[in-house]
Amino acid sequence: MNPEAENPLQSKLKAELDNSEWLQKFKQLGDTLRYVKAEIPLTQLCNLKWNTKDESLIVNCPNEEVWQELSQQSEKIAKVNQKVKRLILKYGNYPELVFDQKN
């Protein structure tokens, strides 16, 4: 017998979850984070946090050297901004660097 026929409720719930807007958004965020890490490898050393309120990516740098290097990669960050509305670069007491998406 078909497993779906054995438990139709489970199959229905799985189908609803797979098609849910929430799950699709979650998958998209994961893809975006992988994209950022691939395009700007130095971000792999950082703590990346997605702010869902304004759809921005906060990049917390582990040290000044990483922050300095990332702050000089505006061309790469501009490429990432095609997928991220706003990228915020942070380190300690340094001022935040905000890269907004170009329309």
Side-chain angles (χ1 to χ4, degrees), residues 67-85:
W67 184 86
Q68 290 285 347
E69 184 66 31
L70 285 173
S71 68
Q72 296 173 9
Q73 295 188 22
S74 57
E75 286 183 27
K76 286 186 177 182
I77 291 173
K79 187 176 181 181
V80 166
N81 274 0
Q82 295 170 0
K83 294 195 178 254
V84 177
K85 288 184 180 178

Side-chain angles (χ1 to χ4, degrees), residues 5-6 13 20-21 26 41 46 48-49 58 61-63 65 95 100:
E6 288 180 21
L13 290 175
S20 74
E21 185 178 328
F26 185 78
C46 304
L48 303 180
K49 180 180 177 188
I58 301 167
C61 300
N63 57 50
E65 293 78 18
D100 284 313

Side-chain angles (χ1 to χ4, degrees), residues 13-103:
L13 290 175
K14 183 179 180 330
E16 285 181 21
L17 177 62
D18 288 344
N19 295 323
S20 74
E21 185 178 328
W22 176 87
L23 183 61
Q24 298 308 315
K25 184 72 172 174
F26 185 78
K27 287 179 179 180
Q28 180 185 12
L29 292 176
D31 291 344
T32 300
L33 290 176
R34 281 188 289 282
Y35 175 80
V36 168
K37 288 180 177 184
E39 290 297 317
I40 308 172
L42 204 50
T43 60
Q44 294 178 29
L45 300 174
C46 304
N47 180 359
L48 303 180
K49 180 180 177 188
W50 189 260
N51 183 346
T52 55
K53 290 180 184 176
D54 63 359
E55 295 191 23
S56 61
L57 179 62
I58 301 167
V59 179
N60 286 299
C61 300
N63 57 50
E64 181 181 3
E65 293 78 18
V66 171
W67 184 86
Q68 290 285 347
E69 184 66 31
L70 285 173
S71 68
Q72 296 173 9
Q73 295 188 22
S74 57
E75 286 183 27
K76 286 186 177 182
I77 291 173
K79 187 176 181 181
V80 166
N81 274 0
Q82 295 170 0
K83 294 195 178 254
V84 177
K85 288 184 180 178
R86 173 178 290 149
L87 187 139
I88 302 169
L89 194 57
K90 290 181 158 191
Y91 171 67
N93 292 330
Y94 282 54
E96 291 180 353
L97 294 179
V98 179
F99 298 88
D100 284 313
Q101 186 179 55
K102 303 272 192 271
N103 293 328

